[in-house]
Structure formats: C-alpha cells, structure tokens
Amino acid sequence: MASHSYPGLRKRWLQADEIARAIDSQYIVTYTPKRPLAEATVEEYRRINVAAGVIGLHVHARRGYVARGQ
C-alpha cells in the first residue's frame, strides 16, 4: 500500500507514532493528601499540582479529584 493511494495516511502514522511515544514515557506518581481521605466531606474536590523538576519536560495531569468522604 503506497501512502499516496490513501490521503492522510502518512499524517495518521505520524500521529500514531507520537501517541506511542507519549504512552512509552508515562510515569506513576504517588500522592499523600495533607488531610486523610477519611476526613473528606462528601464529594469534596481536591486540587493537585504536578510539575516537572526538569526544564523541557511536559506534564499532562488532571487538575484534581473528587474525594469520596464518609
């Protein structure tokens, strides 16, 4: 299959390669809240901030989470 026979095929392959590289460079970060989860109110939203300690690294992370209080 030649790429010229399918418009956009090369672009899709490049996008797939970019996604694969992003997945390959994932890390798991542990987190301990300042206040225990047992003290959370029902549906309490807690903000988090994840930052890279090295210039040039890009971080993709959620901005917070909902603590399921008791």
Side-chain angles (χ1 to χ4, degrees):
M1 292 191 309
S3 63
H4 64 273
S5 61
Y6 294 98
L9 185 60
R10 177 168 168 67
K11 182 179 177 182
R12 288 187 189 132
W13 274 108
L14 291 173
Q15 289 170 336
D17 184 59
E18 183 179 342
I19 291 168
R21 289 177 191 270
I23 290 170
D24 190 41
S25 62
Q26 290 185 3
Y27 294 87
I28 296 175
V29 179
T30 59
Y31 165 75
T32 303
K34 291 181 182 177
R35 287 187 312 110
L37 291 175
E39 295 179 10
T41 60
V42 176
E43 302 294 315
E44 175 184 331
Y45 183 78
R46 293 185 174 192
R47 287 180 286 151
I48 59 173
N49 181 28
V50 180
V54 178
I55 295 173
L57 293 181
H58 299 281
V59 175
H60 297 274
R62 66 172 84 181
R63 294 183 178 166
Y65 67 97
V66 176
R68 308 280 183 214
Q70 305 283 325

